[in-house]
Amino acid sequence: MAVLLVAELNGSSLATDLTAKTICAARQLGSVTALCASEGCEEAAEEAGRLDGVDKVLVASDGRYGHQLAEPTAELIVALSSEFEHIVGPASTSAQNILPRVAALLDVMMISDITAVIDDNTFERPIYAGNAIQTVQSIDHHKVITVRTASYDAVGEGTPAPVVAIEPVADPGSSSWVEDRVAASDRPELTSARAVVSGGRGVGSHDDFELIEKLADKLGAAVGASRAAVDSGFAPNDWQVGQTGKVVAPDLYVAIGISGAIQHLAGMKDSKIIVAINKDGEAPIFQVADYGLVADLFTAVPELIDKLD
Amino acid sequence: MKVLVPVKRVIDYNVKVRVRTDGSGVDLANVKMSMNPFDEIAVEEALRLRESGIASEIIAVSVGVRKAQLVLRTALAMGADRAIHIVTGDDPHVDVEPLAVAKILHRIVQQEQPGLVLMGKQAIDNDLNATGQMLAGLMACGQATFASELRVDDGQATATREVDGGLQVVQLTLPCVVTVDLRMNEPRYPSLPNIRKARRKPFAVHGPEDLGVDISPRLNILHTVEPPARKAGEILSTVDDLVAKLRDEAEVI
Ligand SMILES: Cc1cc2nc3c(=O)[nH]c(=O)nc-3n(C[C@H](O)[C@H](O)[C@H](O)COP(=O)(O)OP(=O)(O)OC[C@H]3O[C@@H](n4cnc5c(N)ncnc54)[C@H](O)[C@@H]3O)c2cc1C
């Protein structure tokens, strides 16, 4: 069976890690054709073609796809859909914006955020903030799926696949892009980092959040935050980890001044090693932590930074 | 301009979910149920649009069991003008799929002709994050998902979306669908007089068949299990112990 894989693009460049992890799930379903839809994304298409498990790349390089708006991108995917039984993307904000729209246009149910492929029609996915895992079997002619990338390893490089340019389709014109507010950072990305250091409300202020960032830099880690820390303005929204933020599963997750609400745990409890630093020994975060330190973060974290030298 | 606000009755976000041992699902008998937190934010945003003179009428709609009328009463008590309840039975364990909900909402949109549909970005029970996008697809209109800020004027909606890389601002032609994220606003509590007033507000009840929508599921739920539990770790007494453990035992630094 044929799979259309919606490659993740940041502007014109390939989000390699997210795409490579999604391929790991997609190739279990059949032969993978990757779709790169953006503006000036020919190079991204070549790169996608080099990922192991990709048999062909379709590239739709056109202004109307430059910001991955759902309306034109969904039309494009629907136009391509007759040749594919599965349409798969990462559970990123971009694909999760586009693919349910595609599913509705194809009159099929959306299968979001899968963590395992059982067979062509059957998948596992977490529900209730990860407190239960459901196995669902689709009876639809098309399966439109997003993949929880934290559950998969990235595929490596393989033989380059052929890249074929395709024509754009009509843009319904119901939306337009105004601006992106994206802060550039030299740190690893949250969803692909080997280690993540996250701060919560306990950190207390935007200025003190620097302490979290310092520890992260020491460990070569990405920086995360709880919702409370983001809501309080200590950290930007794209650092949020949890049910409504990003889902991560690094080798090391350090939670500092985070109580461990189920909605936060939903985004990090599959991490390999969890460290919690919290002054309240009763905090629920300790129930999932491999190593806990009951301490004031303002003394423990500077000491930790020192001792990592 | 009318604003349509779909609201869902879900398990309260504070409740610890219990998975039935026979694999048949999550236990929802005698469990506190509430309005989906994202939907409360959508109701609040609609109220603010009415208070600023942009919205003229707010219609809350729920697709769900008979008891879902309680979340509609909450929406009315918060300030919505009227409610439409599409009753789908009595068993709270039967979750109507987003595709079917979107089809029902589409019919209501055709009848009511709202300028804007404001809804939560996901339901905290099935976590599907799909209904708004699906409705926008059926309506063939613009969509702004995961919005944390919304401005409506001159037949346009401008929304700031929370995306993986940061924020994205998009502009949509009305009518359109906006799904809201948690940071959009802080929902109000219904006041006592408003709770009383809500009892007299118009409340329509229909079945899915009245709208000609087939709600039979497309996904068979084979079983539901608890995720693997993490084994309890250890509490260390010093930073030195922590560094030693990370270095020698876990080998992650
Ligand atoms: C629908 C919904 C979705 C949600 N989605 C998310 C989500 O995606 N991600 C998320 O994180 N949350 C989410 N939440 C919010 C969640 O319920 C919690 O409110 C939030 O995670 C709490 O953040 P926190 O742990 O930083 O704050 P708190 O719960 O206030 O915890 C702060 C902790 O810091 C500790 N502390 C304070 N001072 C110090 C100190 N000096 N030294 C050491 N420790 C200290 C305290 O002991 C406490 O344990 C969601 C909620 C809802 C309703």
Side-chain angles (χ1 to χ4, degrees):
Chain A
M1 281 302 157
V3 183
L4 182 67
L5 176 109
V6 181
E8 178 82 6
L9 291 151
N10 293 325
S12 60
S13 50
L14 186 73
T16 313
D17 186 71
L18 278 189
T19 304
K21 286 173 173 165
T22 310
I23 292 167
C24 186
R27 67 178 177 182
Q28 293 177 257
L29 296 163
S31 166
V32 174
T33 298
L35 170 67
C36 287
S38 187
E39 186 174 16
C41 59
E42 290 84 356
E43 235 170 83
E46 296 291 339
E47 196 188 338
R50 286 193 294 273
L51 291 172
D52 198 17
V54 174
D55 298 308
K56 185 178 170 182
V57 182
L58 302 177
V59 53
S61 185
D62 189 88
R64 71 196 78 178
Y65 306 122
H67 301 286
Q68 283 83 41
L69 292 178
E71 301 83 354
T73 312
E75 294 297 325
L76 177 70
I77 295 170
V78 169
L80 296 169
S81 65
S82 62
E83 288 174 40
F84 302 96
E85 183 181 330
H86 294 89
I87 299 171
V88 182
S92 60
T93 51
S94 174
Q96 198 62 48
N97 184 38
I98 298 164
L99 289 180
R101 186 174 176 108
V102 170
L105 295 173
L106 295 173
D107 191 26
V108 302
M109 237 313 266
M110 180 67 207
I111 310 168
S112 304
D113 210 19
I114 65 160
T115 49
V117 173
I118 308 297
D119 62 35
D120 284 2
N121 305 310
T122 315
F123 311 94
E124 283 181 12
R125 54 178 308 274
I127 54 174
Y128 291 95
N131 284 299
I133 311 290
Q134 201 174 54
T135 304
V136 296
Q137 182 182 50
S138 168
I139 59 167
D140 283 321
H141 47 84
H142 280 86
K143 266 64 73 176
V144 182
I145 296 165
T146 55
V147 174
R148 175 170 287 202
T149 49
S151 300
Y152 288 91
D153 294 324
V155 297
E157 296 214 335
T159 353
V163 175
V164 180
I166 57 170
E167 288 299 310
V169 301
D171 180 353
S174 43
S175 69
S176 57
W177 173 83
V178 179
E179 63 168 323
D180 285 333
R181 283 187 237 140
V182 174
S185 159
D186 298 333
R187 293 201 183 92
E189 264 201 81
L190 253 181
T191 48
S192 52
R194 226 198 78 256
V196 174
V197 179
S198 290
R201 197 198 313 266
V203 179
S205 71
H206 182 264
D207 289 348
D208 286 322
F209 217 82
E210 243 174 56
L211 201 54
I212 305 297
E213 299 181 42
K214 260 196 205 148
L215 177 59
D217 291 341
K218 200 84 190 216
L219 290 166
V223 186
S226 71
R227 175 191 168 192
V230 176
D231 286 2
S232 313
F234 306 170
N237 66 282
D238 49 304
W239 290 4
Q240 184 174 315
V241 171
Q243 184 182 19
T244 30
K246 288 182 176 131
V247 177
V248 301
D251 292 341
L252 173 64
Y253 188 91
V254 186
I256 301 170
I258 291 177
S259 61
I262 51 169
Q263 294 87 3
H264 188 80
L265 302 186
M268 45 64 79
K269 71 179 158 61
D270 293 330
S271 305
K272 288 190 189 79
I273 296 290
I274 297 174
V275 173
I277 301 176
N278 195 305
K279 68 178 180 190
D280 172 11
E282 302 291 304
I285 190 75
F286 289 119
Q287 291 162 20
V288 299
D290 299 280
Y291 304 119
L293 208 53
V294 181
D296 190 307
L297 70 92
F298 294 104
T299 53
V301 176
E303 190 184 339
L304 182 56
I305 293 170
D306 266 358
K307 293 195 165 149
L308 285 172
D309 276 326
Chain B
M1 178 182 81
K2 287 186 194 175
V3 179
L4 191 72
V5 188
V7 296
K8 184 177 185 183
R9 176 180 187 258
V10 296
I11 194 166
D12 188 86
Y13 79 95
N14 273 316
V15 171
K16 172 97 185 81
V17 168
R18 273 194 318 274
V19 181
R20 289 171 173 163
T21 47
D22 64 359
S24 67
V26 161
D27 200 356
L28 294 176
N30 307 314
V31 166
K32 182 175 182 214
M33 305 291 279
S34 302
M35 190 190 300
N36 183 41
F38 294 97
D39 306 350
E40 285 184 344
I41 292 165
V43 173
E44 175 64 34
E45 197 66 16
L47 297 174
R48 293 183 189 188
L49 286 174
R50 195 185 56 201
E51 283 156 7
S52 57
I54 291 158
S56 53
E57 188 184 28
I58 299 163
I59 309 162
V61 46
S62 191
V63 178
V65 294
R66 213 164 298 277
K67 279 189 178 162
Q69 65 159 286
L70 293 174
V71 300
L72 284 169
R73 294 279 170 213
T74 305
L76 292 174
M78 286 173 77
D81 296 293
R82 61 189 166 94
I84 302 173
H85 186 184
I86 309 302
V87 181
T88 56
D90 283 312
D91 184 357
H93 299 94
V94 177
D95 187 35
V96 184
E97 291 176 350
L99 178 64
V101 174
K103 287 179 178 179
I104 289 172
L105 294 174
H106 185 214
R107 289 295 155 83
I108 295 173
V109 164
Q110 287 169 331
Q111 290 167 2
E112 299 286 349
Q113 302 285 325
L116 176 68
V117 182
L118 254 176
M119 55 202 289
K121 76 162 183 176
Q122 79 194 70
I124 62 163
D125 49 6
N126 62 35
D127 279 335
L128 276 162
N129 188 334
T131 309
Q133 297 89 310
M134 294 187 115
L135 174 61
L138 298 178
M139 288 170 63
C141 71
Q143 67 182 59
T145 49
F146 329 140
S148 58
E149 240 180 279
L150 176 66
R151 217 182 54 235
V152 181
D153 44 33
D154 297 334
Q156 302 266 0
T158 307
T160 304
R161 307 177 54 228
E162 294 201 354
V163 295
D164 288 341
L167 299 169
Q168 180 188 55
V169 183
V170 292
Q171 196 167 59
L172 312 170
T173 314
L174 302 182
C176 66
V177 177
V178 175
T179 80
V180 308
D181 219 316
L182 293 169
R183 273 174 281 281
M184 184 172 261
N185 60 48
E186 189 82 49
R188 70 193 64 184
Y189 290 103
S191 67
L192 222 54
N194 282 342
I195 293 171
R196 231 174 282 127
K197 263 209 297 225
R199 294 197 195 115
R200 293 190 302 273
K201 289 181 178 174
F203 198 111
V205 180
H206 305 286
E209 59 291 345
D210 301 336
L211 301 168
V213 177
D214 174 10
I215 63 164
S216 41
R218 307 292 188 83
L219 298 180
N220 294 320
I221 299 167
L222 301 186
H223 47 256
T224 304
V225 297
E226 266 193 61
R230 285 191 81 92
K231 66 172 172 46
E234 48 187 321
I235 298 290
L236 309 171
S237 34
T238 66
V239 171
D240 288 319
D241 290 348
L242 177 60
V243 173
K245 288 283 185 185
L246 292 177
R247 193 160 280 156
D248 307 328
E249 194 176 87
E251 299 178 12
V252 286
I253 57 171

